[in-house]
Amino acid sequence: MTQRLLVYVPPHPLIKHWLGVVRDVATPSVLFRSAITELGRWLTYEAARDWLPTQDTTVQTPLAACPATFVDPQVPVAVVPILRAGLGLLEGAQTLLPLASIYHLGLVRNEETLEPSCYLNKLPEKFDPQTRVLITDPMLATGGSIMTAMAELTHRGVDPALTRIICVVAAPPALQKLSAEYPGLTVYAATIDETVNDRGFIVPGLGDAGDRIFGT
Ligand SMILES: O=P(O)(O)OC[C@H]1O[C@H](OP(=O)(O)OP(=O)(O)O)[C@H](O)[C@@H]1O
Ligand SMILES: O=c1cc[nH]c(=O)[nH]1
Ligand SMILES: [Mg+2]
């Protein structure tokens, strides 16, 4: 079977609600931050559906033996927030994945060339090939940053088929690049917007996610 990039936009009222809040230019930083946290929570919930490994067992209730399913603690789970803005989605993700290891990757785009450069890399040298990786970055625009992140991860043994990206707004250039290089990868987005303007901003988008989260 040919593998394809899967992009899900979960039709969830809470995701729609918090997306409206972060799009609104009048939303102050403190509310923007908590809205991004909520989006991190609900997008992680959706992404975990067919991704988080489980094991079947039996438990004894007060009345009888009963089949039960638990999250498998043996399979490593990693969250990779793309700094800065990916930190905004991390808190919500972490509440659902309390045992996950967090590996920070700091990327910033040059405002003129839009080329990303890496200023912090806390990735391990090698990942266990079974590791479930969740990447958090609210904006996939030209795709330069997410492609850099994917190259760093796959170079260290991460399997794209076991990787999920959660983002708030995805734009066509980023999705096209991911699709060409990483079929089998899955993206969860609150929305897919139409365009990226000549300054690299997604339109209508939500502006500069990092600046709005951190009030800079
Ligand atoms: O798809 P791209 O064109 O690469 O753009 C997306 C990147 O831009 C933003 O980061 P930014 O460089 O603004 O850094 P910040 O998170 O520190 O604000 C955003 O958080 C993404 O990482
Ligand atoms: O619209 C955009 C594009 C990239 N990064 C952002 O923060 N916003
Ligand atoms: Mg920014």
mmCIF file of all heavy atoms in Angstrom, residues 109 139 141 200-202 205-210, ligand 2:
data_model
loop_
_atom_site.group_PDB
_atom_site.id
_atom_site.type_symbol
_atom_site.label_atom_id
_atom_site.label_comp_id
_atom_site.label_asym_id
_atom_site.label_seq_id
_atom_site.Cartn_x
_atom_site.Cartn_y
_atom_site.Cartn_z
ATOM 1 N N ARG A 109 13.463 31.398 12.703
ATOM 2 C CA ARG A 109 13.575 31.778 11.287
ATOM 3 C C ARG A 109 14.281 33.118 11.174
ATOM 4 O O ARG A 109 14.004 34.033 11.962
ATOM 5 C CB ARG A 109 12.169 31.953 10.678
ATOM 6 C CG ARG A 109 11.351 30.729 10.610
ATOM 7 C CD ARG A 109 10.139 30.911 9.722
ATOM 8 N NE ARG A 109 9.306 32.077 10.036
ATOM 9 C CZ ARG A 109 8.250 32.432 9.343
ATOM 10 N NH1 ARG A 109 7.881 31.723 8.286
ATOM 11 N NH2 ARG A 109 7.538 33.476 9.685
ATOM 12 N N MET A 139 2.735 26.600 14.392
ATOM 13 C CA MET A 139 2.624 27.118 13.030
ATOM 14 C C MET A 139 3.489 26.313 12.070
ATOM 15 O O MET A 139 4.704 26.202 12.258
ATOM 16 C CB MET A 139 3.086 28.592 12.989
ATOM 17 C CG MET A 139 2.455 29.485 14.048
ATOM 18 S SD MET A 139 0.666 29.525 14.011
ATOM 19 C CE MET A 139 0.351 30.674 12.697
ATOM 20 N N ALA A 141 4.372 26.898 8.394
ATOM 21 C CA ALA A 141 4.169 27.932 7.372
ATOM 22 C C ALA A 141 4.892 27.577 6.076
ATOM 23 O O ALA A 141 4.366 26.813 5.261
ATOM 24 C CB ALA A 141 4.612 29.283 7.942
ATOM 25 N N GLY A 200 6.283 35.439 4.976
ATOM 26 C CA GLY A 200 6.319 34.128 5.639
ATOM 27 C C GLY A 200 5.242 33.942 6.679
ATOM 28 O O GLY A 200 5.287 32.971 7.450
ATOM 29 N N PHE A 201 4.255 34.844 6.723
ATOM 30 C CA PHE A 201 3.163 34.696 7.691
ATOM 31 C C PHE A 201 1.967 33.993 7.052
ATOM 32 O O PHE A 201 1.625 34.272 5.896
ATOM 33 C CB PHE A 201 2.722 36.060 8.251
ATOM 34 C CG PHE A 201 3.624 36.510 9.363
ATOM 35 C CD1 PHE A 201 4.768 37.253 9.081
ATOM 36 C CD2 PHE A 201 3.373 36.140 10.676
ATOM 37 C CE1 PHE A 201 5.632 37.634 10.090
ATOM 38 C CE2 PHE A 201 4.230 36.518 11.696
ATOM 39 C CZ PHE A 201 5.368 37.263 11.408
ATOM 40 N N ILE A 202 1.356 33.116 7.836
ATOM 41 C CA ILE A 202 0.159 32.419 7.362
ATOM 42 C C ILE A 202 -1.017 33.401 7.391
ATOM 43 O O ILE A 202 -1.190 34.151 8.359
ATOM 44 C CB ILE A 202 -0.148 31.186 8.239
ATOM 45 C CG1 ILE A 202 1.049 30.217 8.242
ATOM 46 C CG2 ILE A 202 -1.414 30.487 7.750
ATOM 47 C CD1 ILE A 202 0.878 29.011 9.169
ATOM 48 N N GLY A 205 -4.279 33.026 9.518
ATOM 49 C CA GLY A 205 -3.349 32.700 10.589
ATOM 50 C C GLY A 205 -3.727 33.266 11.938
ATOM 51 O O GLY A 205 -4.920 33.409 12.272
ATOM 52 N N LEU A 206 -2.722 33.614 12.705
ATOM 53 C CA LEU A 206 -2.956 34.206 14.023
ATOM 54 C C LEU A 206 -1.822 35.161 14.404
ATOM 55 O O LEU A 206 -1.711 35.570 15.553
ATOM 56 C CB LEU A 206 -3.137 33.114 15.094
ATOM 57 C CG LEU A 206 -2.080 32.004 15.192
ATOM 58 C CD1 LEU A 206 -0.845 32.449 15.920
ATOM 59 C CD2 LEU A 206 -2.696 30.789 15.885
ATOM 60 N N GLY A 207 -0.962 35.487 13.423
ATOM 61 C CA GLY A 207 0.172 36.370 13.709
ATOM 62 C C GLY A 207 1.378 35.568 14.154
ATOM 63 O O GLY A 207 1.522 34.395 13.797
ATOM 64 N N ASP A 208 2.250 36.213 14.920
ATOM 65 C CA ASP A 208 3.462 35.543 15.388
ATOM 66 C C ASP A 208 3.154 34.809 16.697
ATOM 67 O O ASP A 208 2.968 35.434 17.744
ATOM 68 C CB ASP A 208 4.586 36.573 15.589
ATOM 69 C CG ASP A 208 5.914 35.881 15.873
ATOM 70 O OD1 ASP A 208 5.963 35.043 16.806
ATOM 71 O OD2 ASP A 208 6.895 36.154 15.165
ATOM 72 N N ALA A 209 3.086 33.493 16.596
ATOM 73 C CA ALA A 209 2.654 32.699 17.754
ATOM 74 C C ALA A 209 3.597 32.892 18.949
ATOM 75 O O ALA A 209 3.143 33.075 20.083
ATOM 76 C CB ALA A 209 2.585 31.224 17.364
ATOM 77 N N GLY A 210 4.904 32.867 18.682
ATOM 78 C CA GLY A 210 5.878 33.009 19.780
ATOM 79 C C GLY A 210 5.720 34.354 20.476
ATOM 80 O O GLY A 210 5.661 34.424 21.712
HETATM 81 O O1 LIG B 2 2.149 33.034 10.553
HETATM 82 C C1 LIG B 2 3.164 32.605 11.117
HETATM 83 C C2 LIG B 2 4.186 31.955 10.408
HETATM 84 C C3 LIG B 2 5.263 31.490 11.081
HETATM 85 N N1 LIG B 2 5.344 31.697 12.416
HETATM 86 C C4 LIG B 2 4.382 32.326 13.111
HETATM 87 O O2 LIG B 2 4.485 32.496 14.331
HETATM 88 N N2 LIG B 2 3.311 32.773 12.440
#
